[in-house]
Amino acid sequence: MPTYALNFYSAVVADQLRTGRKTATIRLGDKSTKYRKGMIVTVLVGQRYGQREKIFDAVIDKVEVKRLGDLSPREIEHDNPQIRHTEDFVRFLGQLYNRDVTEDDTVTVIRFSQIVGTMF
């Protein structure tokens, strides 16, 4: 059975995930062919090309592609509890992806829920 992952790179995110404050990820571009509703994924935190820590397994509840400027404050907050305004989130994504980002960019909102207990 193939294994899929949602990877995060910041230790701050690990705490947000563990406490349930982060229940979504917003990724630049259309990721709807990679992530689909009902998929089981492993949520990981760690640097690219380095060791990663498994936080939990999760089920993807919803995948929605939209314009960055059309994100609701609630969608933004589910990704980053410290940000609620689109302008701030545009700057955050620009820093994260190390490139210019605008409200016209396409993003994918991936909502997920932790799976408690053992799966297999």
Side-chain angles (χ1 to χ4, degrees):
M1 178 162 98
T3 302
Y4 299 93
L6 280 174
N7 295 299
F8 299 95
Y9 301 117
S10 168
V12 173
V13 173
D15 181 56
Q16 293 172 346
L17 289 162
R18 284 188 192 97
T19 59
R21 292 190 327 265
K22 181 174 180 65
T23 58
T25 182
I26 299 172
R27 307 283 170 108
L28 274 180
D30 182 345
K31 307 298 182 194
S32 61
T33 58
K34 183 175 182 179
Y35 297 105
R36 292 171 309 285
K37 179 180 177 179
M39 283 179 72
I40 304 297
V41 295
T42 300
V43 176
L44 305 169
V45 174
Q47 293 301 312
R48 182 175 294 178
Y49 308 115
Q51 196 172 41
R52 298 181 193 194
E53 177 187 2
K54 178 181 176 178
I55 305 301
F56 53 73
D57 290 318
V59 62
I60 295 180
D61 298 312
K62 184 176 182 182
V63 177
E64 188 174 10
V65 178
K66 57 173 54 180
R67 197 176 139 271
L68 178 53
D70 294 333
L71 290 172
S72 72
R74 189 144 176 92
E75 287 171 318
I76 293 169
E77 185 179 1
H78 282 286
D79 178 277
N80 187 329
Q82 299 169 343
I83 298 176
R84 288 182 180 75
H85 301 288
T86 305
E87 307 80 34
D88 297 331
F89 196 68
V90 167
R91 280 192 293 280
F92 171 75
L93 282 181
Q95 292 172 341
L96 188 66
Y97 284 89
N98 197 27
R99 72 170 184 86
D100 288 336
V101 175
T102 71
E103 290 189 17
D104 289 325
D105 280 314
T106 299
V107 294
T108 304
V109 181
I110 304 167
R111 295 289 310 266
F112 55 87
S113 298
Q114 179 178 357
I115 298 170
V116 180
T118 58
M119 284 187 356
F120 305 103

